[in-house]
Amino acid sequence: MTVKIGVIGCGAIGLEHIKRITNTLSGGKIVAVNDINENNAKKIIADLHLDAKFYADGHELIRSADVDAVLVTCWGPAHKEFVLEAVKQKKYVFCEKPLATTADDCLEIVEEEMKQKKHLVQVGFMRRFDEGYVALKKTIDEGQIGAPLILHAAHRNPAVDEKYTTDMAINDTMIHEIDVLHWLLDDEYISAQVIYPRKTGNASSHLADPQIVLVETKKGIRIDVEIFVNCKYGYDIKCEVVGEDGIAYLPEPATVQTRQKAALNRPILMDWKQRFIKAYDYEIQAFINNINKGQKLDGPTSWDGYAAALTADVCVQAQQNPGKILPIKMKDRPDFYK
Ligand code: NAI
Ligand code: ISE
């Protein structure tokens, strides 16, 4: 069977996903495309020779009998309306992060999904599909480093544009750590604190960069995440778990090491699209395969989308109250999502 997919939002990541479904993955076909930028969407259909129809209205795309599953890859504030509509229509939906921009909006999706009594939503937290994080989780789960005590993480982007604001360091960037780290540690967050180091001269005047977020978990693990989005030298993701019997590190991406002109060199990637390319392939292939086999979706759920949004809300409040430790009060996970 081929899953007939409609895409809402054909910007940077929407286009990447359209290309991977068309050229790299199996079992799925792009049959419908929507974007408020009609010219761009139509150009993508033409340039990639897609056998797909353009819909001026995203809701009409979702309701179309030609569409089995929906990819929501437009900008964050529009995610909720399209995900809710897809769930109401009992259609599978893959939504790029964030699931919605507020925790309350995420809960509305959670409630609608539970009403339908079926897991229909997968959220695009692709790091759970990254081979490095999967290997790191296995190391921790097997008890190789004993109980985790401390986790040091860094999320560095070479540069961001003028439109990138201080809260985006949480909502757009650290949101990946927020999701992947509690999954990695099989734990929940209970508090957050933000501190600001000396500001880099490479950031725009309105942006606080870098930032450090300190998070505590239910088990008492202390996590520090450095977010530095104008680090210049590369796209660099670090994760080091300190356990009672040893330390485990997120593997570096495989790049060729050279010895040349009295120097030992290893290139560093510059772009997030390259760094997690396989993880994006795996998450969407899993989405397609599970639909095709009639299996439960196995990626991040709408509950994970809620947990991330709630944690991010508290981290943004912590940004506005530097140094203050703020509690994270999560609702109890419903049985449906256990
Ligand atoms: P983008 O700005 O390149 O593209 C967004 C597209 O959505 C544009 O083509 C815009 O015209 C369209 N759009 C906006 N409102 C719309 C609406 N109401 N209906 C239909 N189309 C609409 O943004 P980008 O980088 O592609 O990001 C899209 C989403 O993907 C964001 O939520 C972002 O956080 C997420 N993302 C996830 C990444 C990951 O690593 N998982 C990486 C990059 C983005
Ligand atoms: C972007 O939206 C992403 O999701 C990337 O993974 C992240 O590194 C970047 O900071 C975000 O802007």
Side-chain angles (χ1 to χ4, degrees):
M1 201 186 114
T2 299
V3 181
K4 291 177 284 169
I5 300 170
V7 180
I8 299 178
C10 312
I13 195 120
L15 176 58
E16 290 294 314
H17 290 339
I18 289 173
K19 284 186 187 163
R20 63 172 40 88
I21 289 168
T22 306
N23 304 325
T24 310
L25 309 183
S26 60
K29 182 183 174 200
I30 306 296
V31 298
V33 170
N34 159 265
D35 197 295
I36 47 171
N37 185 340
E38 182 171 338
N39 288 340
N40 188 43
K42 286 185 170 165
K43 187 172 179 307
I44 288 172
I45 293 176
D47 287 353
L48 300 181
H49 308 291
L50 300 177
D51 178 17
K53 180 176 163 189
F54 172 77
Y55 288 75
D57 179 355
H59 293 271
E60 200 192 316
L61 175 150
I62 294 167
R63 288 193 292 262
S64 166
D66 292 336
V67 172
D68 302 322
V70 183
L71 242 59
V72 176
T73 45
C74 55
W75 77 312
H79 288 183
K80 178 198 165 187
E81 62 166 290
F82 295 126
V83 176
L84 257 189
E85 175 77 31
V87 173
K88 282 182 182 159
Q89 299 296 324
K90 278 198 185 280
K91 295 219 170 158
Y92 289 101
V93 53
F94 175 92
C95 179
E96 260 311 332
K97 55 90 183 164
L99 176 60
T101 48
T102 68
D104 283 348
D105 283 353
C106 292
L107 275 182
E108 223 180 301
I109 294 169
V110 161
E111 275 150 24
E112 187 60 42
E113 194 181 31
M114 288 200 293
K115 217 161 96 188
Q116 301 292 347
K117 297 189 171 63
K118 191 170 180 188
H119 287 272
L120 294 162
V121 182
Q122 181 175 330
V123 183
F125 288 125
M126 75 296 178
R127 289 197 192 176
R128 294 187 188 205
F129 291 86
D130 174 69
E131 285 167 340
Y133 277 106
V134 170
L136 183 57
K137 182 163 176 56
K138 187 165 177 279
T139 303
I140 298 168
D141 289 350
E142 287 174 354
Q144 291 188 40
I145 58 162
L149 311 171
I150 307 170
L151 189 151
H152 307 292
H155 188 149
R156 303 194 186 113
N157 290 209
V160 289
D161 63 28
E162 271 287 315
K163 285 182 282 180
Y164 190 100
T165 48
T166 294
D167 59 313
M168 287 173 75
I170 306 293
N171 287 324
D172 200 47
T173 298
M174 187 193 150
I175 196 87
H176 286 294
E177 273 76 18
I178 290 176
D179 178 68
V180 83
L181 297 184
H182 83 92
W183 165 83
L184 187 71
L185 299 168
D186 191 20
D187 206 344
E188 304 289 343
Y189 306 125
I190 57 165
S191 76
Q193 177 188 21
V194 172
I195 51 177
Y196 296 105
R198 181 181 181 187
K199 180 177 162 162
T200 167
N202 298 315
S204 55
S205 57
H206 62 77
L207 177 65
D209 187 40
Q211 304 179 30
I212 297 172
V213 184
L214 301 167
V215 181
E216 189 184 359
T217 73
K218 256 188 192 163
K219 292 177 190 163
I221 302 168
R222 295 288 182 157
I223 299 174
D224 56 272
V225 183
E226 170 202 314
I227 313 154
F228 187 10
V229 292
N230 288 284
C231 78
K232 292 184 83 175
Y233 74 87
Y235 183 77
D236 206 6
I237 303 299
K238 303 265 177 225
C239 183
E240 174 185 343
V241 186
V242 180
E244 55 191 356
D245 299 327
I247 318 277
Y249 299 90
L250 179 70
E252 291 285 338
T255 49
V256 174
Q257 184 173 304
T258 56
R259 286 163 198 265
Q260 219 186 6
K261 294 182 185 153
L264 187 58
N265 282 309
R266 271 190 74 177
I268 296 176
L269 297 171
M270 291 298 284
D271 193 341
W272 52 262
K273 290 186 198 115
Q274 290 306 316
R275 171 66 178 84
F276 288 109
I277 192 159
K278 278 207 213 158
Y280 294 119
D281 287 350
Y282 293 161
E283 66 172 354
I284 295 187
Q285 189 65 70
F287 178 69
I288 292 171
N289 290 352
N290 285 325
I291 296 173
N292 258 331
K293 291 180 188 157
Q295 289 173 178
K296 191 177 148 195
L297 299 180
D298 62 0
T301 63
S302 39
W303 183 261
D304 294 315
Y306 156 73
L310 182 91
T311 306
D313 286 352
V314 176
C315 290
V316 171
Q317 286 164 30
Q319 282 182 323
Q320 291 152 9
N321 297 277
K324 204 162 168 198
I325 300 172
L326 301 182
I328 299 173
K329 291 179 187 147
M330 198 91 58
K331 286 186 177 294
D332 290 334
R333 190 184 283 263
D335 287 342
F336 186 75
Y337 294 102
K338 278 179 185 157

